[in-house]
């Protein structure tokens, strides 16, 4: 990647180029590791993998590293250069928990990240470089909810067109598709009480908006029978590594 003033990131409510920063090499995108729970069986060569005991494979945090070029081109003095890196470091360190981090590459997705370790500063005569590492949630989250009908950003290799809002009169069987890498815990909006049966489990859905930790969409297809009268929708955002 070459220096490009139009390329940048968005973090903690600000874009890097709004601070006069240019993203340069090196840039490192780290990937999460699986959290494996392995149990050796006594008197056996078999290893028991319990990692998906609670429904899905969990992952550790991931790391992203960016280097920003800082050039003070108005006054060309050290005070002005130091003012620039002061604004930059306070922007980066200002979030005390994971917040939205967007890379201009595949900008339909965002990370959740926080700077926890001290950034580094390399100083030259009239410019300098700040290198920073973000500790991030394992998955990238799509900006648009599943079931959206925006075709301009549709990715035929990663996305799926599906209906997530239904009108139910008595009973209706529907299928939802979670094409993400993580389990989805959808927000359910219902105009009336419903009963949902899926995978042998029954869920009572009251009228209104709910998000139950017990109702999850595993990877792939989830077919369910919905009983009731009214409209019901399932709202979630795909998560990919």
């Amino acid at each position: 990647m070459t220096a490009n003033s139009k390329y940048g990131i968005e973090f903690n409510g600000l874009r890097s180029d709004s601070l006069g920063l240019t993203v340069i090499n090196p840039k490192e995108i780290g990937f999460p590791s699986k959290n494996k729970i392995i149990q050796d069986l006594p008197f056996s060569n078999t290893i028991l993998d319990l990692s998906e005991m609670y429904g899905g494979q969990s992952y550790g945090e991931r790391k992203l590293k960016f280097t920003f070029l800082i050039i003070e081109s108005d006054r060309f003095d050290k005070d002005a250069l130091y003012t620039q890196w002061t604004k930059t470091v306070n922007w980066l360190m200002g979030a005390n928990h994971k917040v939205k981090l967007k890379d201009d590459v595949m900008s339909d997705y965002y990370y959740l990240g926080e700077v926890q370790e001290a950034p580094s500063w390399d100083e030259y005569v009239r410019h300098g470089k700040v290198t920073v590492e973000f500790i991030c949630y394992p998955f990238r989250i799509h900006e648009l909810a599943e079931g959206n009908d925006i075709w301009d950003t549709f990715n035929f290799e990663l996305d799926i067109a599906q209906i997530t809002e239904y009108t139910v009169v008595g009973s209706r069987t529907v299928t939802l598709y979670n094409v993400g890498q993580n389990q989805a815990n959808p927000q359910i909006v219902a105009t009336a009480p419903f009963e949902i049966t899926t995978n042998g489990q029954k869920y009572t859905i009251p009228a209104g908006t709910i998000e139950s930790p017990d109702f999850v969409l595993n990877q792939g297809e989830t077919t369910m029978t919905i009983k009731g009268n009214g409209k019901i929708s399932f709202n979630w955002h795909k998560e990919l590594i």
Side-chain angles (χ1 to χ4, degrees):
M1 184 187 306
T2 58
N4 183 348
S5 60
K6 295 182 180 180
Y7 168 74
I9 67 168
E10 179 184 323
F11 177 69
N12 201 17
L14 289 176
R15 281 192 53 83
S16 55
D17 51 12
S18 73
L19 295 170
L21 306 176
T22 301
V23 178
I24 61 173
N25 283 329
K27 168 188 172 182
E28 299 177 13
I29 302 296
F31 301 105
S33 298
K34 294 180 178 179
N35 295 322
K36 303 303 292 183
I37 303 173
I38 303 297
Q39 179 66 52
D40 293 329
L41 294 181
F43 313 110
S44 170
N45 293 321
T46 301
I47 296 177
L48 191 61
D49 188 344
L50 305 175
S51 306
E52 296 183 274
M53 177 180 294
Y54 297 104
Q57 173 66 59
S58 67
Y59 290 78
E61 294 179 315
R62 67 194 302 169
K63 296 179 180 180
L64 278 66
K65 184 178 288 187
F66 293 91
T67 301
F68 302 104
L69 176 66
I70 298 178
I71 301 176
E72 208 305 302
S73 57
D74 293 331
R75 291 160 46 190
F76 292 109
D77 62 39
K78 289 295 185 182
D79 280 345
L81 182 63
Y82 275 44
T83 296
Q84 283 294 93
W85 71 244
T86 298
K87 292 192 298 182
T88 299
V89 170
N90 281 274
W91 162 58
L92 294 168
M93 300 294 283
N96 295 322
H97 59 276
K98 290 181 175 64
V99 298
K100 181 182 287 189
L101 166 63
K102 289 189 68 173
D103 188 338
D104 280 354
V105 178
M106 290 189 72
S107 60
D108 291 336
Y109 293 83
Y110 64 89
Y111 303 88
L112 292 174
E114 179 188 4
V115 179
Q116 298 179 359
E117 300 295 329
S120 66
W121 168 245
D122 296 313
E123 185 174 329
Y124 303 93
V125 177
R126 291 180 175 175
H127 70 278
K129 295 187 298 184
V130 171
T131 301
V132 62
E133 181 180 77
F134 295 91
I135 306 299
C136 298
Y137 175 66
F139 301 98
R140 291 175 295 161
I141 304 168
H142 203 291
E143 285 276 15
L144 299 177
E146 290 296 284
N148 75 83
D149 58 358
I150 302 175
W151 285 99
D152 289 346
T153 59
F154 190 85
N155 186 318
F156 286 90
E157 297 183 73
L158 300 175
D159 297 338
I160 186 170
Q162 63 177 313
I163 298 171
T164 59
E165 180 177 343
Y166 305 95
T167 298
V168 181
V169 180
S171 179
R172 183 170 180 175
T173 298
V174 304
T175 300
L176 296 175
Y177 301 88
N178 177 10
V179 294
Q181 189 69 17
N182 193 20
Q183 288 180 316
N185 182 216
Q187 179 191 74
I188 302 175
V189 180
T191 61
F194 288 95
E195 180 185 86
I196 296 177
T197 302
T198 181
N199 296 322
Q201 299 289 322
K202 290 186 177 182
Y203 303 89
T204 299
I205 308 300
T209 301
I210 69 164
E211 189 170 332
S212 171
D214 298 323
F215 187 87
V216 298
L217 302 177
N218 292 318
Q219 290 176 263
E221 300 180 9
T222 298
T223 299
M224 64 187 76
T225 299
I226 307 172
K227 293 182 178 181
N229 293 280
K231 291 185 177 181
I232 185 170
S233 64
F234 302 86
N235 306 317
W236 78 97
H237 294 255
K238 176 176 57 190
E239 299 185 1
L240 292 176
I241 294 174

